[in-house]
């Protein structure tokens, strides 16, 4: 009888953990104001001409990273003022550490001057990204082009 309760308890805890992880996937969070110098690869990836640069932190064997790229790259191509850059940190863990990134994919949105605007953990939803960045893209016409 005790074995059944243990199995049910494990299933319940596993189910709750799965629901929590699924809810956190793709969640957009506002950036915390932190004074830090950007790592060189990130600073080099920023486009001062773009209103917002999305820097996707990825690793080589990350399947969700490919899905994230498939969403963000076309979104940036059809949205004025938005640029997408994928940064593979497999051999540069110090870059992820300096940015406070613990999991991949994590996407960071930066303004042209290098200010972090927001973070997205997991695979984002395109319309939600545009909605979250609307105020930052408003000067560049945040409407996707045809």
């Amino acid at each position: 009888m005790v074995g059944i309760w243990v199995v049910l308890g494990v299933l319940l805890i596993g189910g709750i953990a799965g629901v929590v992880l699924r809810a956190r996937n793709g969640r957009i969070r506002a950036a915390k104001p932190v004074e830090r110098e950007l790592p060189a690869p990130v600073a080099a990836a920023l486009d001062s001409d773009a209103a917002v640069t999305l820097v996707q932190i990825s690793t080589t064997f990350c399947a969700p990273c490919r899905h994230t790229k498939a969403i963000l790259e076309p979104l940036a191509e059809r949205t004025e003022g938005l640029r997408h850059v994928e940064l593979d940190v497999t051999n540069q863990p110090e870059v992820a550490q300096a940015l406070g990134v613990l999991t991949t994919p994590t996407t960071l949105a930066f303004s042209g001057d290098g200010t972090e605007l927001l973070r997205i953990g997991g695979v984002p939803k395109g319309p939600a990204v545009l909605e979250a960045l609307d105020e930052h893209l408003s000067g560049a016409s945040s409407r996707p082009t045809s």
Side-chain angles (χ1 to χ4, degrees):
M1 186 69 172
V2 174
I4 293 174
W5 287 112
V6 170
V7 169
L8 289 175
V10 169
L11 288 174
L12 179 65
I13 291 171
I16 291 170
V19 167
V20 169
L21 290 174
R22 182 172 222 158
R24 293 185 67 181
N25 187 36
R27 189 179 76 181
I28 299 173
R29 297 178 293 140
K32 297 175 187 169
V34 177
E35 292 294 323
R36 66 174 165 228
E37 189 173 325
L38 291 176
V42 175
L46 296 182
D47 184 352
S48 60
D49 294 335
V52 176
T53 301
L54 298 173
V55 178
Q56 177 188 333
I57 307 299
S58 300
T59 52
T60 303
F61 299 106
C62 169
C65 295
R66 291 188 285 278
H67 296 292
T68 299
K69 182 178 180 179
I71 292 168
L72 296 178
E73 198 167 80
L75 186 69
E77 288 174 0
R78 66 178 191 263
T79 304
E80 187 177 333
L82 185 62
R83 181 169 181 246
H84 171 258
V85 177
E86 184 179 18
L87 184 60
D88 187 334
V89 296
T90 302
N91 297 318
Q92 309 173 69
E94 65 279 358
V95 173
Q97 183 179 13
L99 294 170
V101 172
L102 301 176
T103 61
T104 58
T106 295
T107 305
L108 307 167
F110 291 98
S111 65
D113 66 359
T115 303
E116 185 178 331
L117 305 172
L118 56 88
R119 287 178 176 239
I120 307 165
V123 180
K125 294 159 188 67
V129 172
L130 285 179
E131 183 179 326
L133 293 173
D134 190 47
E135 68 181 88
H136 304 289
L137 293 171
S138 59
S141 176
S142 63
R143 298 278 183 232
T145 57
S146 302

